[in-house]
């Protein structure tokens, strides 16, 4: 299958934009990825069978299968406190 453009927005769990999130395709190098803008928006080329990885410092990693989606919005969560 051919690549398609996936767009979306990365936010904190409260809905605020999360800029600087690294988005890349599982199994590909980080250099082929992208980062979210100041508004939390991103765009990346991917195949339906690809899994997108979302990484932001201080937040748990998130993963989403592209599938038939062309828009994938993601909420990032802080890891739970283990005191």
């Amino acid at each position: 299958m051919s690549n398609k453009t996936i767009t979306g927005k990365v936010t904190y769990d409260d809905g605020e934009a999360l800029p600087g999130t690294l988005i890349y395709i599982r199994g590909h190098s980080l250099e082929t990825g992208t980062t979210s803008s100041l508004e939390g928006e991103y765009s990346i080329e991917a195949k339906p069978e690809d899994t997108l990885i979302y990484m932001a410092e201080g937040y748990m990693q998130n993963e989403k299968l592209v599938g038939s989606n062309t828009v994938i919005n993601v909420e990032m969560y802080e890891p739970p406190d283990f005191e």
Side-chain angles (χ1 to χ4, degrees):
M1 300 204 109
S2 61
N3 283 359
K4 59 183 177 178
T5 302
I6 308 302
T7 60
K9 187 170 184 177
V10 182
T11 59
Y12 296 99
D13 57 356
D14 66 1
E16 290 293 316
L18 180 55
T21 300
L22 175 63
I23 302 110
Y24 68 98
I25 299 168
R26 178 189 284 149
H28 294 226
S29 70
L30 298 179
E31 290 78 27
T32 62
T34 189
T35 55
S36 59
S37 69
L38 288 175
E39 295 80 27
E41 297 170 346
Y42 73 93
S43 175
I44 191 169
E45 296 289 319
K47 295 181 174 129
E49 63 269 20
D50 288 334
T51 298
L52 300 180
I53 309 293
Y54 300 82
M55 295 175 58
E57 188 173 340
Y59 291 85
M60 296 188 311
Q61 179 176 300
N62 203 331
E63 301 183 7
K64 298 288 182 183
L65 177 66
V66 172
S68 62
N69 298 303
T70 55
V71 176
I72 301 176
N73 297 318
V74 174
E75 288 184 358
M76 300 295 283
Y77 295 90
E78 292 181 357
D81 270 338
F82 294 105
E83 294 182 11

